[in-house]
Amino acid sequence: MSPAGACAILKQAGLRPTRQRIALGTLLFGEGHRHLTADDLHLEAIDEGISLSLATVYNTLSQFDEAGLIRKVSVSGGKAYYDTDTGDHHHFYIEAEDRIIDIEPGRIGVGGLPAPPAGYEITKVDVVVRLRRNGTGP
């Protein structure tokens, strides 16, 4: 994605297109659907010669998440992946590889959710199915 394309996405989401947001948006949205951590994106930025701190990457990803541009997927120990596909879907977490992949749409259903406490509403349900090799597969 070009910087101009990233700038347009940011403006449409109501975010001011700063140099850091444009640079990270260009990396994030330039390769199609992705799952990555803040550390992954920080390393990509460094590889591309973009100078910014890891804290800036975390803050920018948080802003992108709040604006609905990406989706945060929490896994073990507070570790988070950021998903560029913001549509309703769930994930497998492959423990040994420390990565997530999408579960095919329509393959999982969630029912019987409890009523939220007074004054709250359910906004999203994220299902992360943890996988471990059992020794019988490839």
Side-chain angles (χ1 to χ4, degrees), residues 107-125:
R107 301 294 295 176
I108 190 169
V110 178
L113 294 174
Y120 293 90
E121 66 180 348
I122 296 172
T123 59
K124 177 174 52 171
V125 175

Side-chain angles (χ1 to χ4, degrees), residues 23-24 27 40-52 57:
L24 293 174
L27 290 174
D40 295 335
L41 186 58
H42 186 240
L43 289 174
E44 281 186 28
I46 290 169
D47 288 346
E48 293 293 321
I50 301 166
S51 178
L52 39 78
V57 174

Side-chain angles (χ1 to χ4, degrees), residues 4 10 13 15 22-23 31-32 42 50 55 57 59 61-62 65 68 70 79 82 89 93 99 111-112 114-116 120:
L10 293 169
L15 292 173
I22 292 169
E31 296 185 29
H42 186 240
I50 301 166
V57 174
N59 290 337
L61 287 170
S62 179
D65 180 41
I70 59 175
K79 184 169 186 170
Y82 296 88
H89 66 285
Y93 174 63
R99 70 182 178 105
Y120 293 90

Side-chain angles (χ1 to χ4, degrees), residues 7 11 29 131:
C7 185
K11 286 180 179 178
F29 305 118
L131 301 178

Side-chain angles (χ1 to χ4, degrees), residues 87-105:
D88 287 337
H89 66 285
H90 305 288
H91 297 92
F92 286 120
Y93 174 63
I94 304 170
E95 294 175 340
E97 298 173 23
D98 196 27
R99 70 182 178 105
I100 62 172
I101 57 175
D102 292 337
I103 294 175
E104 187 178 319

